[in-house]
Structure formats: C-alpha cells, structure tokens
Amino acid sequence: QLQLQESGPGLVKPSETLSLTCSVSGGSISSGSYYWGWIRQPPGKGLEWIGTIFYSGSTYYNPSLKSRVTLSVDTSRNQFSLNLSSVTAADTAVYYCARVNTGSYYNFDYWGQGTLVTVSS
Amino acid sequence: DIQMTQSPSSLSASVGDRVTITCRASQNISPYLNWYQQKPGKAPKLLIYAASSLESGVPSRFSGNGSGTDFTLTVSSLQPEDFATYHCQQSYSSPYSFGQGTKVEIK
C-alpha cells in the first residue's frame, strides 16, 4: 500500500523559506507512471494546488506561486520536496503531498496526512 | 484560470437521505472533473474521477454526473460516515483548481 508522509518545520518566520519533504513508501517515485504534487489548505479554507514534479525533474507550478516555489526530487531516497520562499502569514496552511495519477484524467489518488505550517515571528 | 464554484456551501441532512452537490466550472472542462471527500483533520480522499468514474474501494452509493461546465456528486443514501466536506477539482488545465467545498452536516 502506497504511503506518503510530509516532514519539516511546523513554524517558519516571515520572509524566510518554508521547506517540506514528502517520503514515499510502498512504491517507487521513479516508476514513471505517476507525477508527484503538493497541495495546501489554509485553516478553514479550500484547497490550492501548488505544483507537480516528475521523477525526471520536470516541474509544473501554479502561476500564483511560481516566483516563490521550487520543487525537487531525490529518487535515491524516494522523496520529493517543496521550497516556498519569502513566506508571509498568508502561507500558513496544512500542506499535503500527493500522488498524481495522470492515467485517470489527472487526479490526486494518494495523499499524505498533511502537516500544518504556521508563519509567525 | 478556471474558476470552480460549488453549491451549496453547506447542507444539513439525515441518515438515509439522498444528497446532491453541484459544481460549476467557468468554462467547458468535460470530463476532467474529480470529487474528493475530506473529514476533519484528515487528508482528502478521491471518490470520483473523470466526472463519473468511481475510484476503487468507494461505495456505490456515491455517483458523479455532468458534462461541459455543470457537474454533480450524489450520495444515494447518506450514511453516518458520509458526513464530511466534499471538494470538486478540475484537471482540464493548469492551475488545477478546486471548489470552495461543501460541508455535509447531520440534521
């Protein structure tokens, strides 16, 4: 059974960089059949797609965040990561990593449990 | 960007009720529409993809319908475990946007 687990600091100061890692178990991130993505949800609000990465390193970003987001992948560790720079309070959210099933009309079929990141001094 | 609008934002229903949630896209996205269920403190769970295809393991009381810009998620007989928030999501084009969610509460 595929499992995803987010990890990283729960508190980040304004103007600094938010860094999270998603560890994948029960399947290979290099299988080539799937992409891997990040989605966030501010407290009490809806979901926002942040970006998607392929094991080869190809990336696709939400234009609203593109100037501040970098996704990367480490196939040797079966992990992929999110860096979000110059954070403000508006970036406070639960951050989810997910598998992107592009073979079924592009959906997020497996999700991590999510990790709350608070931006505050 | 494609805007997704769900209605209603919330609803109250009883166990056994038939419940329908609507999702409208700002342009034609057929059939690139997915539905997710989210319970408090948990990650979303994929229910329906490609507008009407049931994800493996999802009970058959859930169904999706629609085309073009208008889509629906129906629960034929609401069960206690179905009280949750439901989100639609378009996968027609980037950025892959979600609706604001519909909270289904116990009457």
Side-chain angles (χ1 to χ4, degrees):
Chain A
Q1 177 76 349
L2 188 75
Q3 291 187 321
L4 295 87
Q5 177 71 57
E6 304 90 350
S7 60
L11 181 64
V12 180
K13 290 182 169 55
S15 79
E16 295 189 345
T17 296
L18 178 161
S19 296
L20 296 175
T21 294
C22 182
S23 299
V24 179
S25 59
S28 173
I29 202 169
S30 306
S31 70
S33 300
Y34 304 99
Y35 285 63
W36 306 90
W38 290 94
I39 301 103
R40 70 180 182 178
Q41 185 173 36
K45 297 188 177 181
L47 297 158
E48 179 181 32
W49 171 70
I50 299 171
T52 297
I53 188 165
F54 195 51
Y55 79 95
S56 63
S58 299
T59 53
Y60 309 86
Y61 298 134
N62 189 324
S64 69
L65 298 168
K66 187 174 183 178
S67 63
R68 299 193 292 129
V69 172
T70 303
L71 300 190
S72 59
V73 62
D74 185 339
T75 55
S76 66
R77 296 186 177 187
N78 223 33
Q79 296 176 336
F80 60 105
S81 298
L82 163 70
N83 277 1
L84 180 66
S85 64
S86 305
V87 297
T88 69
D91 294 309
T92 293
V94 176
Y95 286 77
Y96 296 100
C97 60
R99 189 179 80 169
V100 184
N101 189 339
T102 58
S104 296
Y105 293 87
Y106 199 105
N107 56 69
F108 303 104
D109 61 353
Y110 284 89
W111 296 63
Q113 65 185 25
T115 187
L116 174 64
V117 179
T118 301
V119 178
S120 175
S121 55
Chain B
D1 294 3
I2 298 173
Q3 309 303 316
M4 305 300 293
T5 304
Q6 288 181 236
S7 60
S9 297
S10 64
L11 64 90
S12 296
S14 300
V15 172
D17 283 354
R18 180 183 181 89
V19 169
T20 297
I21 298 168
T22 297
C23 180
R24 175 166 288 175
S26 59
Q27 67 178 72
N28 185 345
I29 61 167
S30 223
Y32 294 86
L33 190 283
N34 307 310
W35 289 98
Y36 301 84
Q37 176 193 66
Q38 186 178 30
K39 296 182 179 179
K42 300 295 186 182
K45 172 189 174 183
L46 178 66
L47 298 177
I48 302 283
Y49 63 92
S52 60
S53 295
L54 196 67
E55 175 72 348
S56 176
V58 174
S60 59
R61 63 181 180 273
F62 290 94
S63 63
N65 211 335
S67 63
T69 61
D70 295 326
F71 301 86
T72 58
L73 172 70
T74 298
V75 186
S76 60
S77 178
L78 206 62
Q79 297 303 299
E81 61 268 30
D82 300 336
F83 291 95
T85 298
Y86 294 85
H87 306 271
C88 62
Q89 176 241 334
Q90 66 83 13
S91 55
Y92 182 85
S93 67
S94 174
Y96 304 107
S97 46
F98 293 81
Q100 80 278 16
T102 295
K103 186 174 184 179
V104 177
E105 299 175 299
I106 302 173
K107 183 183 287 185

